[in-house]
Amino acid sequence: EVEETLKRIQSHKGVIGTMVVNAEGIPIRTTLDNSTTVQYAGLLHQLTMKAKSTVRDIDPQNDLTFLRIRSKKHEIMVAPDKEYLLIVIQNPCE
Amino acid sequence: MEIVYVYVKKRSEFGKQCNFSDRQAELNIDITPNPELAALYMERNPVDKGVQCSASMSEHEANTERFEMENCGVNHIEGGWPKDVNPLELEQTIRFRKKVEKDENYINAITQLGLIMEHCIKQNNAIDIYQEYFDEEESVEVTEEAPSAKTINVFRDPQDIKRTATHLSWHPDGNKKLAVAYSCLKFQQAPMGMSHESYIWDLENPNRPEITLKPSSPLVTLEYNPKDSHVLLGGCYNGQIACWDIRKGSLVAELSTIEFSHRDPVYGTIWLQSKTGTECFSASTDGQVMWWDIRKMSEPMEVVVMDITRKEQLANALGAISLEFESTLPTKFMVGTEQGIVISCNRKAKTSAEKIVCTYSGHHGPIYALQRNPFYPKNFLTVGDWTARIWSEDSRESSIMWTKYHMAYLTDGAWSPVRPAVFFTTKMDGTLDIWDLVFKQCDPALSLKVCDDALFCLRVQDNGCLIACGSQLGTTTLLEVSSGLSTLQKNEKNIASSIFERETRREKILEVKHREMRLKEKGKTEGREDDQKEDELALNLDDLVSKAEEEFYEVIYSELKRKEAEAMKKTAKPVRTVVGEDLSLPPEESSWTPYYWPPPPHHSTCTLNMH
């Protein structure tokens, strides 16, 4: 089902790339090339950690469920989990 | 002299200290409560009062010390792999990945996350959440905010021996870079060891100039080529013209030969609009304006001597300090001279004498800045001595508008490229004035002290928001102007054009009147009755004075008589005699207390006849 899920996500309109990163920042599964993946993995992992700790600091009972970074060119969406991160880069239709 | 009030103090009391003494309390006023007044008021119940319970905080601003930042890249290598996996070995990484994928945790996690993610993706595809609604209702802001400007960045001359920033030029595309020319303008007072370098600064990095330009002599002016942003033109202190190509490096790409260059520092250089984009012209205080093609810098294409007597004599020529060229009027250009005269010239005139079309004089000192209004090219701004003046091409006698005389010398000025009625000027005391003709015409709309030393040059960026000013110690300050001053107000174009037209008309009327007066005077000097009139005028002055005095005393006399008559009717004898006594005194004595009019001055020709 993992395959299915990932395939489904990738087939959505505007999705440029998908990747799964583990807690240490190692990319497990990716549809982009290696260097881009490594870059995204490293940077987004740190950012997600920071965002999570920020949310937790403000309210200890709160937790980060989703992180969306909208930039000029596309949108990066990060769904964090205890051990893994699902990262999707999409080009929203505007 | 009347004595109005007399202060008397004993001599022994001067310098005596104050002796305070105790005194009983005096009750000055006692207002008892009046219960009837309470009937006028009603008690308020319930009472609404806002209460806030929050942490009290204080705000404090601190300015950190300037610290230098450097940009550098970091080389990432893959990390995070567990010890036994070598990231470079493909097999091992694949094996590791496969292992992880079999993990149950992984499967669950991905399924969960996948659901959330899909939801968001679909959301994105369905609606653009950042769409601009109500786009058409972009409010026409009547911003009541006061005009303001704030300093964004400061670029300091990295050299130890500070030089003046004499000219600034913005990069033609994107305005992200600023070229600054540094030199020492004091005649022959350039200190030993002063560097000749000029810099191009990147706005993001104020610590270090991005590119250094190394001429053989310090640059007085520097201009980017508007067509090709890699090419820069510089005018040197020794009169040469130099050209750089940034791609080639920091040494001069082309340099004009000394024999054919100017004899004095080149104060103005402008690129021309031509198909090749390689033509430019320069002006200098030696009185010549030269046209160059940068592909062939060995000699100028054309030379014009700024001699207003049209005799082409270099000895008579006026030194040129500023140049003006508007690309919409390609054959005309204007030169501002050291003598305070603006010369308007036509490049395409057939004979060299006809190159000089007309002159406008009005400044007392060198004209440091000359610029046409970008919206109304017929009007141009000149800045020199202690004023800034606006001229119209049609009125040659004088400027149509001018500012009042300031305390400090004005060094540079420029129109705002966005608003037709706004212009900026810099002064020797380090202030930048922003004038808004639509708002106020007698004073600057905003006057800012930028730095303690004199400001020498000014350049506005094309969007009208950023201004760069260069100072005597080589510090270039970047200011951002408030949006009120950099956005076109509605109707502003019409208002500005009507201001200029009105002033031009006024000047024309004055011109006509002047001309008439002059003609009249010419008629007078040819003799006739006007001579006599002048003599009569001179003689009559004394007579007029004595006549005026006589009349004055007659008025007093008649008044007195009238009062006498009244007094005699009303009062009894004793008073009458008093009145009579008073009147019998001669006027010269000061006992006659005047309370309606001042006593008469001692004048022998007029005396009042008193009975």
Side-chain angles (χ1 to χ4, degrees):
Chain A
E1 319 80 46
V2 168
E3 299 293 330
E4 276 180 41
T5 318
L6 289 178
K7 271 223 185 85
R8 223 186 19 244
I9 291 177
Q10 183 66 31
S11 64
H12 271 292
K13 179 172 157 204
V15 172
I16 301 173
T18 318
M19 62 186 94
V20 181
V21 180
N22 84 339
E24 279 135 27
I26 303 175
I28 307 290
R29 198 63 188 276
T30 173
T31 59
L32 301 168
D33 58 282
N34 200 27
S35 48
T36 323
T37 310
V38 168
Q39 203 177 25
Y40 269 106
L43 295 167
L44 284 170
H45 181 251
Q46 290 178 34
L47 185 62
T48 318
M49 289 299 118
K50 191 71 176 182
K52 198 179 223 165
S53 66
T54 309
V55 170
R56 276 278 176 80
D57 277 343
I58 294 174
D59 181 3
Q61 282 156 357
N62 207 351
D63 197 5
L64 181 71
T65 47
F66 203 77
L67 183 63
R68 252 175 165 172
I69 303 171
R70 198 153 185 134
S71 73
K72 266 202 288 202
K73 297 193 181 161
H74 39 239
E75 179 162 346
I76 305 171
M77 293 180 277
V78 180
D81 184 64
K82 248 178 39 200
E83 277 184 43
Y84 302 95
L85 283 179
L86 176 60
I87 302 172
V88 172
I89 305 162
Q90 188 192 18
N91 202 349
C93 50
E94 291 184 57
Chain B
M1 199 170 58
E2 298 170 30
I3 299 178
V4 179
Y5 194 82
V6 178
Y7 297 87
V8 172
K9 190 166 180 179
K10 271 200 203 155
R11 187 69 192 268
S12 57
E13 284 183 9
F14 276 97
K16 207 162 138 185
Q17 82 270 32
C18 301
N19 284 331
F20 292 112
S21 57
D22 268 336
R23 195 162 78 139
Q24 286 291 342
E26 283 176 20
L27 185 61
N28 282 334
I29 185 161
D30 186 14
I31 306 177
T32 50
N34 189 353
E36 288 157 29
L37 289 175
L40 297 170
Y41 294 89
M42 220 173 73
E43 229 178 67
R44 187 193 209 178
N45 198 352
V47 177
D48 247 327
K49 191 166 168 71
V51 170
Q52 179 166 335
C53 178
S54 66
S56 61
M57 295 189 276
S58 75
E59 189 185 315
H60 187 74
E61 280 175 24
N63 207 4
T64 58
E65 280 215 9
R66 187 193 162 92
F67 69 99
E68 303 242 340
M69 287 188 292
E70 223 186 84
N71 274 340
C72 57
V74 177
N75 195 12
H76 282 287
I77 52 167
E78 277 191 53
W81 292 99
K83 277 215 182 101
D84 52 350
V85 177
N86 183 357
L88 299 170
E89 288 258 331
L90 206 52
E91 254 190 54
Q92 294 186 6
T93 52
I94 293 180
R95 213 188 311 149
F96 180 80
R97 286 196 172 113
K98 287 227 170 97
K99 197 168 57 166
V100 171
E101 282 175 10
K102 298 242 168 48
D103 191 10
E104 208 189 289
N105 250 352
Y106 175 78
I107 298 174
N108 288 339
I110 295 296
T111 332
Q112 284 297 320
L113 297 178
L115 286 174
I116 309 174
M117 187 60 83
E118 273 207 73
H119 173 76
C120 287
I121 293 179
K122 284 183 193 158
Q123 224 180 33
N124 265 347
N125 284 335
I127 298 179
D128 175 14
I129 62 177
Y130 295 108
Q131 184 189 37
E132 195 78 45
Y133 303 116
F134 311 118
D135 217 352
E136 308 80 28
E137 290 185 24
E138 204 63 63
S139 55
V140 185
E141 342 144 359
V142 187
T143 38
E144 295 298 329
E145 55 169 81
S148 64
K150 60 175 194 268
T151 315
I152 300 184
N153 225 334
V154 175
F155 302 95
R156 283 176 227 276
D157 186 4
Q159 300 284 334
D160 289 327
I161 303 178
K162 300 285 177 200
R163 306 153 298 164
T164 317
T166 49
H167 202 87
L168 297 163
S169 172
W170 287 95
H171 190 101
D173 328 299
N175 293 320
K176 286 278 172 271
K177 298 199 207 173
L178 190 58
V180 187
Y182 294 94
S183 60
C184 180
L185 284 179
K186 297 207 180 86
F187 182 60
Q188 293 189 345
Q189 277 180 37
M192 285 297 296
M194 183 181 95
S195 146
H196 297 312
E197 291 168 8
S198 291
Y199 301 111
I200 297 182
W201 296 87
D202 186 350
L203 293 188
E204 320 279 311
N205 185 4
N207 295 323
R208 229 180 337 188
E210 198 186 324
I211 302 175
T212 314
L213 302 171
K214 298 195 174 81
S216 50
S217 138
L219 287 180
V220 179
T221 71
L222 189 54
E223 281 284 336
Y224 265 104
N225 185 345
K227 293 235 169 87
D228 183 1
S229 53
H230 297 284
V231 178
L232 288 135
L233 175 72
C236 296
Y237 195 67
N238 64 0
Q240 286 177 301
I241 311 283
C243 188
W244 276 267
D245 189 332
I246 300 183
R247 295 166 293 202
K248 287 196 194 147
S250 58
L251 289 178
V252 183
E254 308 270 339
L255 190 58
S256 63
T257 47
I258 295 205
E259 299 85 37
F260 293 107
S261 304
H262 292 279
R263 304 261 175 282
D264 264 353
V266 179
Y267 279 102
T269 49
I270 299 190
W271 288 93
L272 287 173
Q273 290 281 21
S274 69
K275 285 177 282 221
T276 52
T278 53
E279 286 179 17
C280 55
F281 67 134
S282 64
S284 147
T285 37
D286 64 356
Q288 292 172 311
V289 176
M290 296 184 180
W291 275 265
W292 306 84
D293 185 331
I294 53 168
R295 293 168 296 192
K296 183 176 166 254
M297 291 280 256
S298 49
E299 63 175 341
M301 293 192 304
E302 216 181 312
V303 178
V304 172
V305 178
M306 289 286 113
D307 180 7
I308 42 177
T309 58
R310 304 206 175 144
K311 286 201 201 84
E312 297 278 304
Q313 296 281 359
L314 202 56
N316 290 348
L318 306 171
I321 283 250
S322 45
L323 265 187
E324 200 283 332
F325 174 75
E326 174 81 28
S327 40
T328 52
L329 302 162
T331 56
K332 288 206 274 196
F333 67 97
M334 292 201 291
V335 177
T337 61
E338 272 186 313
Q339 283 74 9
I341 303 178
V342 176
I343 306 179
S344 162
C345 311
N346 187 342
R347 195 181 165 193
K348 298 282 185 243
K350 298 196 186 66
T351 65
S352 322
E354 275 179 30
K355 292 242 169 181
I356 297 177
V357 172
C358 59
T359 62
Y360 304 89
S361 57
H363 275 288
H364 306 291
I367 296 182
Y368 283 112
L370 179 56
Q371 195 190 7
R372 285 186 198 262
N373 188 326
F375 292 85
Y376 300 106
K378 274 203 148 181
N379 298 303
F380 56 96
L381 169 75
T382 59
V383 165
D385 60 61
W386 299 273
T387 58
R389 286 171 194 267
I390 301 180
W391 305 72
S392 161
E393 275 189 357
D394 307 322
S395 76
R396 300 190 180 173
E397 303 269 313
S398 77
S399 51
I400 59 171
M401 293 171 77
W402 55 90
T403 66
K404 59 174 195 255
Y405 282 90
H406 294 282
M407 289 286 114
Y409 220 78
L410 262 71
T411 48
D412 203 355
W415 289 101
S416 159
V418 179
R419 289 188 58 184
V422 170
F423 63 95
F424 308 90
T425 53
T426 56
K427 304 218 281 274
M428 289 287 276
D429 59 0
T431 48
L432 169 75
D433 289 330
I434 307 182
W435 299 77
D436 185 353
L437 293 174
V438 167
F439 175 63
K440 207 188 335 179
Q441 291 181 7
C442 50
D443 274 324
L446 182 63
S447 185
L448 271 174
K449 188 143 172 81
V450 173
C451 56
D452 289 326
D453 42 318
L455 284 177
F456 263 94
C457 57
L458 165 76
R459 209 50 188 266
V460 189
Q461 205 200 38
D462 290 329
N463 63 6
C465 265
L466 291 178
I467 312 175
C469 356
S471 79
Q472 199 166 15
L473 292 177
T475 324
T476 310
T477 318
L478 198 62
L479 292 132
E480 184 179 342
V481 178
S482 66
S483 56
L485 287 169
S486 54
T487 44
L488 193 62
Q489 311 281 347
K490 51 181 175 182
N491 268 347
E492 186 177 336
K493 276 195 182 171
N494 294 340
I495 295 177
S497 73
S498 58
I499 292 177
F500 292 138
E501 273 168 36
R502 184 187 69 217
E503 298 296 328
T504 321
R505 236 180 308 134
R506 177 181 66 96
E507 279 303 317
K508 283 223 182 95
I509 294 173
L510 282 176
E511 238 177 273
V512 167
K513 269 220 170 125
H514 274 287
R515 230 175 280 160
E516 280 179 20
M517 264 174 46
R518 256 182 272 147
L519 284 172
K520 263 198 206 155
E521 277 189 29
K522 274 197 198 150
K524 274 191 199 168
T525 52
E526 286 161 18
R528 286 191 295 150
E529 73 247 38
D530 299 314
D531 279 9
Q532 294 168 3
K533 271 201 197 150
E534 286 196 34
D535 282 340
E536 277 178 2
L537 268 170
L539 283 172
N540 270 346
L541 208 55
D542 289 333
D543 278 353
L544 279 174
V545 169
S546 38
K547 237 209 277 177
E549 282 189 21
E550 272 181 35
E551 284 172 21
F552 176 63
Y553 288 122
E554 275 178 51
V555 168
I556 299 177
Y557 175 52
S558 50
E559 261 294 310
L560 271 173
K561 271 197 145 184
R562 193 177 60 78
K563 289 193 98 258
E564 251 189 63
E566 279 184 24
M568 281 203 218
K569 282 187 217 154
K570 291 183 197 167
T571 58
K573 258 192 168 180
V575 183
R576 205 202 323 172
T577 50
V578 169
V579 170
E581 266 179 40
D582 267 354
L583 288 174
S584 60
L585 283 171
E588 273 75 18
E589 297 204 7
S590 54
S591 57
W592 180 34
T593 53
Y595 41 88
Y596 284 131
W597 44 77
H602 295 252
H603 201 102
S604 49
T605 55
C606 311
T607 48
L608 275 178
N609 296 327
M610 301 293 200
H611 59 90

